[in-house]
Amino acid sequence: MRSSAFNHTDIEALRSKLKANSAPVPCVDFGAGSKGSTTTVSGIARRSLKRPKHARALAALAQHIESEAVLELGTSLGLTSAYISRHTTALTTAEGNPHIRALALSNWRQLSVQNVRSFEGEFEQIWEGFADTTYDLIFIDGNHRGEALMRYAKKSLSMLQPNGVLVCDDIHWSLDMEQAWNDLCSMPEWTVQLDAFEWGLLTRNQALKREHVCIRF
Ligand SMILES: C[S@@+](CC[C@H](N)C(=O)[O-])C[C@H]1O[C@@H](n2cnc3c(N)ncnc32)[C@H](O)[C@@H]1O
């Protein structure tokens, strides 16, 4: 159920437990250059997840736009999903690594998250499955390569509500991600383009004037 309260202490307590969990997790390489064949729960919890303030910001955004449906590409351990799920009606999320997705499912059980629809598989191979509805917010947080970001962003347009918001993670992570972000910003669809450094936000809400804004928090 959507909540207006911003209490996420249970999610952060679970994050601390995951950071201390040295259980191995097999890697799946989606072409973005994952190193090694095995990682650990701890390694994922420390390095792959949005930090609490960014997860809070995404949850606040989902709430501010009164989102009914949010899509996350890249579930990982499901903690950012848990944040967002409390501030929207329904969250759909996709993860290609079955071992990681299984951990997310367990985490959501522990956090009593019930409004999440979880897809397993490589994004573009399972795209049709989650393209059955339109979303108020789409968060692209997997496969951080510029050409992949461009493809996902363009494919997302037909699933995005007219006033919907697209958030792209790690827009300054590499030269090609930066180039993709710049190319996206130059598309005429978007009115506000917000660069929060760690992620970028685009909206085609025509009630807003076209502008490019940078914020740091
Ligand atoms: C950065 S993590 C997501 C973090 C998560 N959104 C959070 O903040 O908690 C990216 C995830 O996307 C998955 N992934 C990357 N490329 C993928 C692809 N092409 N198809 C499916 N999953 C992919 C990875 O396995 C990884 O778990």
Side-chain angles (χ1 to χ4, degrees), residues 28 30 32 44 48-50 72-81 94-97 100 121-124 139 141-144 152 169:
V28 175
F30 298 103
I44 298 171
S48 296
L49 315 184
K50 295 257 60 63
E72 176 188 44
L73 293 182
T75 314
S76 192
L77 299 177
L79 296 199
T80 301
S81 328
E95 171 57 53
N97 183 325
I100 295 180
E122 198 283 325
F123 300 144
E124 287 177 289
F139 174 41
D141 187 18
N143 195 356
H144 293 156
Y152 301 157
D169 198 61

